[in-house]
Amino acid sequence: AQSVTQLGSHVSVSEGALVLLRCNYSSSVPPYLFWYVQYPNQGLQLLLKYTSAATLVKGINGFEAEFKKSETSFHLTKPSAHMSDAAEYFCAVSAPYNFNKFYFGSGTKLNVKP
Amino acid sequence: DGGITQSPKYLFRKEGQNVTLSCEQNLNHDAMYWYRQDPGQGLRLIYYSQIVNDFQKGDIAEGYSVSREKKESFPLTVTSAQKNPTAFYLCASSPGGTVRGEAFFGQGTRLTVV
């Protein structure tokens, strides 16, 4: 079975500091992994996705994530946080044998302090 | 512009009433989904449909019903049997079939029981 665990429901960083949001997955086969961002009262927007090509994936707004099979992790990073990065972030995995099923983590709210 | 349109953005329901949330997509996607979002609980799958005229229950289908008569439309009815319907509802779609891609989300409908 597939599942996604996001460590830390709330993360707070100072503006200009490194952003690190953690995601661990369980999957019996190489997964497709995704990071989404959600601003208040809006839908989810895709930040980036891993599709078994390069292990370091670059996304929008300066975010990137690295797929580490040995650690079953797909952590999201950004070198320098901006105030506009304050939002909720979701990690997700798609089922390997049913591409139409997605499993979402419980989300991490990022707070950026001035 | 291709995308997913949810309407209305805000909806108020009296106790005992059924209400229907609209979801339309012009992405030519086969698969569509309804998620419920409550604070601190991430996304929970209500129903999903992999193809026209077919749909499956998700994790929290009780008190909800759907139809999929057209490829582009996947309306969700919140019935009076749903004990706690106040929540943020998100509709999504993905390519479906053998195409492995990400889910695209609408902007959500916030339902409040008054």
Side-chain angles (χ1 to χ4, degrees):
Chain A
Q2 280 61 239
S3 68
V4 173
T5 302
Q6 290 184 241
L7 293 176
S9 58
H10 291 80
V11 169
S12 187
V13 301
S14 298
E15 193 173 19
L18 171 72
V19 175
L20 171 60
L21 304 182
R22 300 178 186 273
C23 173
N24 288 89
Y25 69 91
S26 68
S27 176
S28 54
V29 298
Y32 271 34
L33 292 156
F34 312 89
W35 273 103
Y36 287 87
V37 61
Q38 184 182 33
Y39 298 99
N41 289 313
Q42 293 189 26
L44 276 67
Q45 177 185 3
L46 183 71
L47 273 178
L48 49 81
K49 61 183 177 183
Y50 168 75
T51 59
S52 74
T55 56
L56 182 62
V57 182
K58 294 187 184 298
I60 62 172
N61 300 338
F63 284 94
E64 61 182 37
E66 186 172 8
F67 173 71
K68 290 188 177 180
K69 184 178 178 181
S70 61
E71 299 177 7
T72 60
S73 69
F74 190 56
H75 301 332
L76 182 71
T77 60
K78 182 174 180 177
S80 176
H82 295 160
M83 296 298 292
S84 60
D85 294 327
E88 189 159 18
Y89 293 80
F90 292 91
C91 183
V93 63
S94 67
Y97 301 116
N98 180 354
F99 301 159
N100 303 319
K101 239 185 156 182
F102 296 89
Y103 298 87
F104 287 85
S106 55
T108 298
K109 282 191 175 175
L110 176 66
N111 178 46
V112 181
K113 299 175 290 186
Chain B
D1 274 344
I4 299 180
T5 301
Q6 289 188 243
S7 62
K9 189 166 177 63
Y10 298 96
L11 186 58
F12 297 89
R13 187 194 99 170
K14 293 183 180 179
E15 289 202 24
Q17 279 184 337
N18 292 355
V19 290
T20 297
L21 282 59
S22 171
C23 177
E24 304 276 331
Q25 55 101 356
N26 60 4
L27 299 167
N28 200 33
H29 285 170
D30 283 319
M32 296 188 74
Y33 315 80
W34 276 105
Y35 292 92
R36 170 178 172 143
Q37 191 175 24
D38 297 282
Q41 296 198 41
L43 278 69
R44 292 186 289 169
L45 183 64
I46 305 172
Y47 270 97
Y48 67 104
S49 168
Q50 300 189 54
I51 200 165
V52 174
N53 293 322
D54 184 58
F55 47 83
Q56 290 81 39
K57 292 182 179 180
D59 302 318
I60 57 165
E62 185 175 351
Y64 299 97
S65 66
V66 294
S67 63
R68 187 85 188 277
E69 297 176 0
K70 297 186 295 183
K71 186 175 185 177
E72 60 270 24
S73 179
F74 192 41
L76 173 75
T77 297
V78 184
T79 74
S80 56
Q82 171 49 236
K83 298 304 179 191
N84 184 22
T86 294
F88 191 54
Y89 291 87
L90 287 163
C91 180
S93 71
S94 69
T98 57
V99 177
R100 201 172 187 186
E102 66 267 27
F104 292 76
F105 284 83
Q107 290 301 295
T109 293
R110 184 165 296 281
L111 173 63
T112 303
V113 173
V114 296

